[in-house]
Amino acid sequence: MTASRIVMLMVLSLLPLSTLVALEGQWKTYTAKRSVTDLASDSTTIWAATSGGAFSYTMSTGAFREFATAEGLHSIDLTAVAIDGSGDVWFGASNGVVHRYNPSTGEWQYVTDIFQIQNPQKRINALRVYGDSLVILSDLGVSMLSISKMQFGDTYFRFGPDSVQITGNALDFTFYHGNMWVATRSGIATTPVSNVNPSVPQSWQVFNFAKGLPTNYVTALAVLADTLYAATSAGLVRLNGSTWDAIPATAGLFVIDMSARSVGVCPWCTNASVPLLAFMTADNLYAFSPSTNQLDVVSGFGTPLTRLARSGGWLAGTQSLGVMNNFQPPSFVIPPGPPSNSFIGIAVDNRGVLWSGTGISNGAGFMSFDGANWRLYSHDSDPRLDAGNNYYQVSVGAHNCKWVSNAGRGIALVDDQGRLVRILDATNGLPPAVDTPAPPPARSHFVVVGGVATSPDGSAWLSVRTPPPDTSLVVFMPDSSLRYVLTCGPGCNMRSPQNIVTNIAIDQNGTKWFANFSRFESFTPNRAIGFYFYNDQISLPGTSGGWGFLTTDDGITSTEVWSVAVDQDDALWIGTDQGLSIIFDPSNPHADVAIYHPLRDQVIQAIVPDALNNKWIATKNGVFEISPDGTDILSHYTVENTDGKLLSDDVASVAIDNHTGTVFFGTENGLSALSTAAVTPTESLGELSISPNPYYLPARTELLVDGLTAGSTLKILRIDGGLVREVATPGGRIAYWDGKDRKGTLVPTGVYLIVAYSQDGTSVAKGKVAVIRR
């Protein structure tokens, strides 16, 4: 080991955990990979395509590798996987992109020919490898790709004469008796391999319901003992000359996949060693022995089945539990990612733990992520939680507690240690919701809580959906008692029509500001009379009984308010269906309302200030980063300009870990995370942490300096004190140096001093870095 490497190891070993800040601009994506759409295996590894990306599982060690857009995928909604003769793994996606991955080198290649075709339906349904050919079965048809040349050959879009012609919708492919055979949603097509022009539809023969199939929907093909079998939505059939014979024992079964097993032991069969057809419905696994006409079945897996491994071990994909690798009893290979792709109402607590709801319908509960491990809170894990698991909003309160709102069953309270400590609902003080869909007596127990905000005295203000003109605010006091606030007071028309409260922000004056709309609302958008606020401590101009409201006459862009936030300058930011408004002095709300015109056409779903007071704005068209005063759009992130690292342009929520500068974007396709320089500054300058040290130039990354106070300035000095460069910092705890002097030239090998000056110049901190030119 060289001396420089020893020095580097010594320096890194002394760095405290707090300095482990990701480099600015790095993305990570987190997706659930439990819903398996296809799988393949070789002698060592299982490869799974899922609705949230891909994963591999090394059977001997139990090691996982996960792949999403940050790891090289162009699309995470994968629909097919295959392994070629050289060990490369191929993935097909719902948008038509085909990926090629070399596990040895980590290299990715992409085939985008189908993706670029102007057709809304171009899903890759299956991939089949025959020698040097990759057969791509898609909604467009059948495409032939040369693996060695990475070039497309022919694509066959239509099959058969006009009277029975099939267009696209190819699901499976095989060779049998000198012919190519294609399974589609509209029947089976075949043509001789010797056909010099298969692109001519009339050169294909078609079999459908009228030609002997039990149904037109054919899901899979397999050859066993020199016989061709087809799986359909009404059972199995086999080719007998030029006709198809039904297999009576399978009649009426919707077979979703099938595999010919000529060798190996069937793990659930009574006669396991004979050649057989393994096939599946959504609920059961079957094995059919053509020699004995015996049908064996195994069921009871706790999750619907999706695909069957065509070769390798006995493996099945499932809808929610990954890959099933044992059948009696069932056991599952589940990758370690999040339990759901639906990240709704996300928040980061004081320990840096991310929390998320999963939605108001078909929810999975709520989840937490500490940077290493995911935890799901659901009715299965704790029967106190709602059996519907429809938790959709997380708010961080006093003492680092978490308030988790449920769409119908109140709110859950989780303590600092992540323990569920209380459920508040109609049984212990929360009023029932307005216009519930449930009949009595369930109606009286239907409680919907929107957002929660905590006032300086530690009281939690809960917005509760109630009938007009009843209570809509419940205050959870520090002693755990409840207080109720009658909205607007007697005779106030805030609740008529049904002006509801969805989220709350509290400013420095103790004023509560109430959003009244969200992505989940079913009420008509024009129901809102105004944007309401309330202060029970001081009297604000234009209020009555503590209540006031703003309308478009006051200057806000719309009364349909989706989000509210208070920034570090105590300005109030208002997000509506028509952009942003800003109240720079919330103590006099009617006096000065500014409209932010550049985002006038955007639906503002979330507003979160970071440690530098930049605003992160979630919309249905990506995320905008705006300067502290709102004058400049600093960045605009979309799926397209991040190469899919932002998992959806429809960003439901944003949360920021100010201790690391990580910004999280919650979508219904998964979670994206972006590292930034917006890290909460230290209160005073101390010892600087500098990494990497030594710093090798040229470098792919900049030198990171950690431990700064707000607005610090950096100077890079030679060891003799000569100034190399003065570096402007982002203003938070960290700053970067690119290894260049004032002329933009990389500095020579040597030891350099890093000197940080506080904003007022009264405090100084120093550090050293060894620079080594390669």
Side-chain angles (χ1 to χ4, degrees), residues 153-172:
D154 293 329
T155 294
Y156 314 132
F157 298 99
R158 295 185 299 277
F159 313 94
D162 293 343
S163 59
V164 293
Q165 191 170 100
I166 296 171
T167 301
N169 292 306
L171 302 181
D172 203 359

mmCIF file of all heavy atoms in Angstrom, residues 153-172:
data_model
loop_
_atom_site.group_PDB
_atom_site.id
_atom_site.type_symbol
_atom_site.label_atom_id
_atom_site.label_comp_id
_atom_site.label_asym_id
_atom_site.label_seq_id
_atom_site.Cartn_x
_atom_site.Cartn_y
_atom_site.Cartn_z
ATOM 1 N N GLY A 153 -33.567 -6.934 -37.118
ATOM 2 C CA GLY A 153 -33.908 -7.537 -38.396
ATOM 3 C C GLY A 153 -35.329 -7.138 -38.734
ATOM 4 O O GLY A 153 -35.684 -5.958 -38.735
ATOM 5 N N ASP A 154 -36.177 -8.141 -38.954
ATOM 6 C CA ASP A 154 -37.558 -7.853 -39.328
ATOM 7 C C ASP A 154 -38.432 -7.667 -38.097
ATOM 8 O O ASP A 154 -38.147 -8.176 -37.010
ATOM 9 C CB ASP A 154 -38.129 -9.000 -40.172
ATOM 10 C CG ASP A 154 -37.451 -9.096 -41.531
ATOM 11 O OD1 ASP A 154 -37.039 -8.045 -42.050
ATOM 12 O OD2 ASP A 154 -37.339 -10.216 -42.059
ATOM 13 N N THR A 155 -39.534 -6.949 -38.302
ATOM 14 C CA THR A 155 -40.626 -6.886 -37.330
ATOM 15 C C THR A 155 -41.910 -7.259 -38.063
ATOM 16 O O THR A 155 -42.189 -6.731 -39.141
ATOM 17 C CB THR A 155 -40.757 -5.491 -36.709
ATOM 18 O OG1 THR A 155 -39.599 -5.212 -35.914
ATOM 19 C CG2 THR A 155 -41.982 -5.408 -35.809
ATOM 20 N N TYR A 156 -42.656 -8.161 -37.477
ATOM 21 C CA TYR A 156 -43.899 -8.640 -38.080
ATOM 22 C C TYR A 156 -45.061 -8.055 -37.282
ATOM 23 O O TYR A 156 -45.259 -8.380 -36.118
ATOM 24 C CB TYR A 156 -43.952 -10.165 -38.065
ATOM 25 C CG TYR A 156 -42.646 -10.810 -38.526
ATOM 26 C CD1 TYR A 156 -42.060 -11.831 -37.784
ATOM 27 C CD2 TYR A 156 -42.010 -10.385 -39.683
ATOM 28 C CE1 TYR A 156 -40.865 -12.408 -38.195
ATOM 29 C CE2 TYR A 156 -40.812 -10.946 -40.103
ATOM 30 C CZ TYR A 156 -40.247 -11.964 -39.344
ATOM 31 O OH TYR A 156 -39.047 -12.524 -39.741
ATOM 32 N N PHE A 157 -45.805 -7.177 -37.932
ATOM 33 C CA PHE A 157 -46.880 -6.455 -37.253
ATOM 34 C C PHE A 157 -48.233 -7.140 -37.400
ATOM 35 O O PHE A 157 -49.071 -7.043 -36.507
ATOM 36 C CB PHE A 157 -46.997 -5.023 -37.808
ATOM 37 C CG PHE A 157 -45.767 -4.187 -37.592
ATOM 38 C CD1 PHE A 157 -44.840 -4.009 -38.610
ATOM 39 C CD2 PHE A 157 -45.527 -3.567 -36.371
ATOM 40 C CE1 PHE A 157 -43.712 -3.233 -38.418
ATOM 41 C CE2 PHE A 157 -44.405 -2.787 -36.165
ATOM 42 C CZ PHE A 157 -43.490 -2.615 -37.188
ATOM 43 N N ARG A 158 -48.464 -7.799 -38.542
ATOM 44 C CA ARG A 158 -49.775 -8.382 -38.817
ATOM 45 C C ARG A 158 -49.607 -9.815 -39.303
ATOM 46 O O ARG A 158 -48.620 -10.152 -39.981
ATOM 47 C CB ARG A 158 -50.523 -7.553 -39.867
ATOM 48 C CG ARG A 158 -50.860 -6.145 -39.375
ATOM 49 C CD ARG A 158 -51.710 -5.385 -40.388
ATOM 50 N NE ARG A 158 -51.007 -5.215 -41.664
ATOM 51 C CZ ARG A 158 -50.134 -4.266 -41.918
ATOM 52 N NH1 ARG A 158 -49.833 -3.378 -40.980
ATOM 53 N NH2 ARG A 158 -49.545 -4.181 -43.086
ATOM 54 N N PHE A 159 -50.593 -10.640 -38.969
ATOM 55 C CA PHE A 159 -50.525 -12.062 -39.270
ATOM 56 C C PHE A 159 -51.861 -12.535 -39.850
ATOM 57 O O PHE A 159 -52.912 -12.303 -39.245
ATOM 58 C CB PHE A 159 -50.219 -12.868 -37.999
ATOM 59 C CG PHE A 159 -49.087 -12.306 -37.184
ATOM 60 C CD1 PHE A 159 -49.324 -11.429 -36.128
ATOM 61 C CD2 PHE A 159 -47.765 -12.643 -37.464
ATOM 62 C CE1 PHE A 159 -48.288 -10.915 -35.379
ATOM 63 C CE2 PHE A 159 -46.717 -12.132 -36.716
ATOM 64 C CZ PHE A 159 -46.984 -11.253 -35.676
ATOM 65 N N GLY A 160 -51.794 -13.201 -41.028
ATOM 66 C CA GLY A 160 -52.974 -13.835 -41.594
ATOM 67 C C GLY A 160 -53.702 -12.988 -42.616
ATOM 68 O O GLY A 160 -53.485 -11.777 -42.714
ATOM 69 N N PRO A 161 -54.579 -13.628 -43.371
ATOM 70 C CA PRO A 161 -55.380 -12.909 -44.366
ATOM 71 C C PRO A 161 -56.354 -11.953 -43.700
ATOM 72 O O PRO A 161 -56.617 -12.027 -42.505
ATOM 73 C CB PRO A 161 -56.112 -14.038 -45.102
ATOM 74 C CG PRO A 161 -56.136 -15.168 -44.136
ATOM 75 C CD PRO A 161 -54.873 -15.070 -43.338
ATOM 76 N N ASP A 162 -56.916 -11.042 -44.513
ATOM 77 C CA ASP A 162 -57.728 -9.959 -43.980
ATOM 78 C C ASP A 162 -58.886 -10.455 -43.128
ATOM 79 O O ASP A 162 -59.225 -9.839 -42.108
ATOM 80 C CB ASP A 162 -58.272 -9.091 -45.121
ATOM 81 C CG ASP A 162 -57.159 -8.333 -45.834
ATOM 82 O OD1 ASP A 162 -56.059 -8.240 -45.251
ATOM 83 O OD2 ASP A 162 -57.382 -7.865 -46.958
ATOM 84 N N SER A 163 -59.505 -11.546 -43.499
ATOM 85 C CA SER A 163 -60.715 -12.003 -42.806
ATOM 86 C C SER A 163 -60.450 -12.418 -41.363
ATOM 87 O O SER A 163 -61.335 -12.328 -40.515
ATOM 88 C CB SER A 163 -61.345 -13.179 -43.568
ATOM 89 O OG SER A 163 -60.410 -14.253 -43.668
ATOM 90 N N VAL A 164 -59.219 -12.860 -41.060
ATOM 91 C CA VAL A 164 -58.894 -13.311 -39.693
ATOM 92 C C VAL A 164 -57.601 -12.666 -39.205
ATOM 93 O O VAL A 164 -56.962 -13.168 -38.292
ATOM 94 C CB VAL A 164 -58.768 -14.843 -39.632
ATOM 95 C CG1 VAL A 164 -60.117 -15.513 -39.872
ATOM 96 C CG2 VAL A 164 -57.721 -15.343 -40.643
ATOM 97 N N GLN A 165 -57.234 -11.567 -39.805
ATOM 98 C CA GLN A 165 -55.909 -10.996 -39.538
ATOM 99 C C GLN A 165 -55.749 -10.559 -38.088
ATOM 100 O O GLN A 165 -56.631 -9.964 -37.479
ATOM 101 C CB GLN A 165 -55.652 -9.805 -40.458
ATOM 102 C CG GLN A 165 -54.217 -9.323 -40.441
ATOM 103 C CD GLN A 165 -53.945 -8.314 -41.539
ATOM 104 O OE1 GLN A 165 -53.927 -7.118 -41.276
ATOM 105 N NE2 GLN A 165 -53.733 -8.791 -42.769
ATOM 106 N N ILE A 166 -54.569 -10.883 -37.528
ATOM 107 C CA ILE A 166 -54.191 -10.497 -36.180
ATOM 108 C C ILE A 166 -53.201 -9.338 -36.288
ATOM 109 O O ILE A 166 -52.261 -9.385 -37.078
ATOM 110 C CB ILE A 166 -53.536 -11.677 -35.438
ATOM 111 C CG1 ILE A 166 -54.535 -12.826 -35.265
ATOM 112 C CG2 ILE A 166 -52.999 -11.230 -34.090
ATOM 113 C CD1 ILE A 166 -53.885 -14.096 -34.737
ATOM 114 N N THR A 167 -53.422 -8.315 -35.474
ATOM 115 C CA THR A 167 -52.517 -7.178 -35.446
ATOM 116 C C THR A 167 -51.829 -7.106 -34.086
ATOM 117 O O THR A 167 -52.483 -6.930 -33.056
ATOM 118 C CB THR A 167 -53.270 -5.866 -35.710
ATOM 119 O OG1 THR A 167 -53.911 -5.936 -36.979
ATOM 120 C CG2 THR A 167 -52.315 -4.680 -35.676
ATOM 121 N N GLY A 168 -50.513 -7.275 -34.075
ATOM 122 C CA GLY A 168 -49.722 -7.119 -32.859
ATOM 123 C C GLY A 168 -50.148 -8.024 -31.715
ATOM 124 O O GLY A 168 -50.570 -9.165 -31.904
ATOM 125 N N ASN A 169 -50.004 -7.518 -30.492
ATOM 126 C CA ASN A 169 -50.394 -8.217 -29.262
ATOM 127 C C ASN A 169 -49.720 -9.575 -29.133
ATOM 128 O O ASN A 169 -50.353 -10.556 -28.716
ATOM 129 C CB ASN A 169 -51.910 -8.365 -29.188
ATOM 130 C CG ASN A 169 -52.605 -7.034 -28.993
ATOM 131 O OD1 ASN A 169 -52.288 -6.301 -28.066
ATOM 132 N ND2 ASN A 169 -53.533 -6.719 -29.880
ATOM 133 N N ALA A 170 -48.423 -9.639 -29.475
ATOM 134 C CA ALA A 170 -47.686 -10.900 -29.401
ATOM 135 C C ALA A 170 -47.254 -11.175 -27.967
ATOM 136 O O ALA A 170 -46.665 -10.308 -27.303
ATOM 137 C CB ALA A 170 -46.477 -10.856 -30.329
ATOM 138 N N LEU A 171 -47.522 -12.390 -27.483
ATOM 139 C CA LEU A 171 -47.234 -12.758 -26.094
ATOM 140 C C LEU A 171 -46.184 -13.847 -25.950
ATOM 141 O O LEU A 171 -45.522 -13.937 -24.930
ATOM 142 C CB LEU A 171 -48.526 -13.205 -25.393
ATOM 143 C CG LEU A 171 -49.669 -12.190 -25.355
ATOM 144 C CD1 LEU A 171 -50.864 -12.783 -24.613
ATOM 145 C CD2 LEU A 171 -49.230 -10.898 -24.696
ATOM 146 N N ASP A 172 -46.034 -14.714 -26.961
ATOM 147 C CA ASP A 172 -45.052 -15.791 -26.855
ATOM 148 C C ASP A 172 -44.654 -16.248 -28.252
ATOM 149 O O ASP A 172 -45.326 -15.933 -29.249
ATOM 150 C CB ASP A 172 -45.599 -16.962 -26.035
ATOM 151 C CG ASP A 172 -44.481 -17.810 -25.427
ATOM 152 O OD1 ASP A 172 -43.301 -17.507 -25.660
ATOM 153 O OD2 ASP A 172 -44.796 -18.780 -24.715
#
